[in-house]
Amino acid sequence: MTAIRWAGGALAVIIAALAGIALAARFGDGPTGPLIGGELRTGDWVEEPVNDWSFAAGRDIELQLDGDATSRTTWFFPAGKVGYIPAGQTFPPGKQWHQRAAQRGAAVIRIDDRRYPVRLDRLTEEDSAFTEIAQRMKDEGSVPPGGTETMWLFVVRSRPQ
């Protein structure tokens, strides 16, 4: 009986700690790893348009859609000078940011403590660029969970403020 109480208490402490971490991330300045975070409040604001996103190769980026009070860490896939953000449809379950991005488009991304105002324009499977980028992602082993067959793909473009 004592072992059961001890195990139950330990489980309660673990659950409380995880809930506390998730809550802190939600109200923090940006995401914490895979946990959704608060608004992107800090970092130098970059006014000049970015014409070459290749500097962001191999990095996860922080993304906040305009009108949202939350941010997330997401993939960034530069191909040449153009940047793309893939959104897998199967993981994590219940994800909806990609649908809002397709409707609104305006967002801010943060890379290395620099914030960039951007526009996200969805490519559909009918776009030749989608097929080309999906193949490049497969070739490089950078495919989101569920594969490119269930992926939405956004082109990242600078936008004036």
Side-chain angles (χ1 to χ4, degrees):
M1 197 68 153
T2 303
I4 293 173
R5 281 192 208 154
W6 184 87
L11 182 61
V13 168
I14 291 170
I15 290 171
L18 292 174
I21 291 169
L23 187 62
R26 177 91 158 125
F27 294 104
D29 176 22
T32 302
L35 299 176
I36 290 176
E39 296 181 37
L40 301 177
R41 295 184 290 271
T42 62
D44 295 332
W45 191 258
V46 179
E47 293 285 342
E48 56 274 1
V50 176
N51 297 316
D52 183 354
W53 290 102
S54 63
F55 73 92
R59 295 186 173 117
D60 285 336
I61 63 162
E62 298 169 322
L63 167 71
Q64 178 184 346
L65 300 175
D66 280 12
D68 283 4
T70 59
S71 60
R72 67 216 9 89
T73 302
T74 190
W75 297 13
F76 191 82
F77 187 81
K81 295 180 178 185
V82 181
Y84 298 91
I85 294 178
Q89 300 302 294
T90 58
F91 185 82
K95 166 179 20 181
Q96 297 179 355
W97 71 262
H98 58 287
Q99 295 167 347
R100 293 190 307 278
Q103 292 170 353
R104 295 187 217 150
V108 173
I109 59 174
R110 184 165 61 186
I111 305 169
D112 296 334
D113 287 329
R114 299 186 80 191
R115 294 178 296 158
Y116 302 85
V118 297
R119 173 153 186 85
L120 305 178
D121 293 313
R122 181 177 177 213
L123 294 178
T124 63
E125 294 78 8
E126 291 79 33
D127 293 312
S128 60
F130 181 96
T131 305
E132 177 186 335
I133 298 306
Q135 187 59 52
R136 287 176 87 168
M137 291 177 77
K138 286 179 185 178
D139 293 346
E140 293 183 22
S142 298
V143 179
T148 57
E149 295 76 25
T150 62
M151 172 180 78
W152 282 21
L153 188 62
F154 295 92
V155 179
V156 177
R157 295 186 171 96
S158 289
R159 70 178 161 94
Q161 276 294 257

